[in-house]
Amino acid sequence: MPSMAVIGGTGLTQWPELELKDTVSHETVYGNPSAPITIAKLGNVEVAFLARHGCPHQFAPHRINYRANIAALKKLGVNQIFAVNAVGSICSEIPPESIVIPDQVIDYTYGREHTFFPGDDQPVHHIDFTEPFSPNLRDRLLQTAQDIQLSVKTKAVYGCTQGPRLETVAEINRLERDGVDIVGMTAMPEAALAREMEMDYASIALVVNMAAGRSSGIITMDEIELALAKGMQNVKRLLLATLNR
């Protein structure tokens, strides 16, 4: 079984380039994952692929069963996760279609099942979260990007909001004051749950729009979908090269 997994976000619910070997649906004590897990070859390596929002895309960020997703991958034997996240940018130097490898996160979500150890049937477990994204996986991504001459943003603070709506200008101004560079809706509690399961986890964040108040007009799905279509090709290129290092 594969030791590495890719969690695909918006714009990567399917990956035709994967050489399909098997499809498994691991029910967990937390319920079913968002979609059946695809076991496939990508280049010379075997990987597990899971569509975070379902396939087809059906689960809003706050309705994703993050615990079932991570538990199912753990049950499969996965210990390294490369997560793809679509994000908005607060910084003018990180325009749409940019790829960002964040190193920090601020969690603004609420009401999500965010731990495997709530203190009921499982004793409370305090994880160290000083570096929320695995330094080992981040280094591999950054080295690979350099090797294939792909420009990426090497550090950023990911602000994770509740969704599914986008943010107001005032909210984005607040996030900027907090030190946030990019804003998305899915890195948390995913990253923390992976840490609880002792799985390495890194994010490949694709910028698909400028955040509210940072562009000349309103944010449209047309511009987001265009940035997804163009930028996701480079995300796939980075993943293929990294997984086959």
Side-chain angles (χ1 to χ4, degrees):
M1 286 297 183
S3 63
M4 296 183 289
V6 173
I7 298 180
T10 300
L12 191 60
T13 56
Q14 293 179 305
W15 198 342
E17 293 87 346
L18 292 174
E19 183 183 331
L20 180 64
K21 294 184 67 178
D22 195 9
T23 301
V24 295
S25 184
H26 274 303
E27 184 177 359
T28 74
V29 295
Y30 309 100
N32 291 314
S34 297
I37 300 170
T38 298
I39 311 300
K41 284 197 71 176
L42 185 63
N44 297 317
V45 298
E46 189 176 70
V47 298
F49 177 78
L50 174 61
R52 181 189 291 116
H53 294 276
C55 186
H57 191 294
Q58 59 182 308
F59 298 113
H62 68 298
R63 298 295 297 274
I64 293 168
N65 192 337
Y66 294 96
R67 292 196 299 179
N69 287 351
I70 296 299
L73 291 173
K74 180 70 173 181
K75 187 176 179 181
L76 207 58
V78 168
N79 54 40
Q80 297 178 337
I81 298 173
F82 294 91
V84 178
N85 305 90
V87 300
S89 172
I90 296 177
C91 307
S92 59
E93 62 269 26
I94 313 178
E97 299 177 36
S98 297
I99 294 177
V100 183
I101 312 299
D103 63 316
Q104 284 294 322
V105 67
I106 301 178
D107 188 5
Y108 299 96
T109 66
Y110 51 88
R112 302 185 183 189
E113 296 289 354
H114 64 278
T115 180
F116 290 112
F117 305 98
D120 302 324
D121 54 338
Q122 294 283 355
V124 175
H125 178 57
H126 300 285
I127 56 169
D128 177 79
F129 212 46
T130 304
E131 295 183 270
F133 302 105
S134 164
N136 173 46
L137 295 194
R138 291 189 69 258
D139 286 346
R140 282 169 56 187
L141 288 165
L142 296 176
Q143 184 60 60
T144 301
Q146 183 176 327
D147 291 346
I148 64 175
Q149 299 182 324
L150 178 65
S151 177
V152 300
K153 178 72 172 175
T154 61
K155 297 179 69 175
V157 177
Y158 181 128
C160 191
T161 58
Q162 180 71 355
R165 67 167 177 84
L166 300 180
E167 300 75 30
T168 67
V169 173
E171 287 170 334
I172 292 299
N173 290 341
R174 175 204 171 189
L175 297 185
E176 185 176 41
R177 290 193 297 270
D178 286 351
V180 170
D181 300 300
I182 55 176
V183 56
M185 303 175 188
T186 52
M188 293 295 289
E190 199 171 80
L193 292 169
R195 182 64 53 84
E196 287 188 345
M197 289 289 101
E198 300 181 345
M199 304 162 79
D200 284 344
Y201 178 99
S203 167
I204 303 171
L206 173 62
V207 176
V208 296
N209 63 279
M210 297 304 296
R214 300 303 185 268
S215 61
S216 56
I218 64 171
I219 300 167
T220 68
M221 287 308 300
D222 286 343
E223 69 175 286
I224 289 175
E225 289 170 1
L226 182 60
L228 277 169
K230 291 182 177 180
M232 198 56 71
Q233 298 308 311
N234 280 329
V235 170
K236 291 178 180 180
R237 181 176 159 220
L238 177 59
L239 277 168
L240 174 62
T242 301
L243 292 168
N244 280 274
R245 280 181 68 88

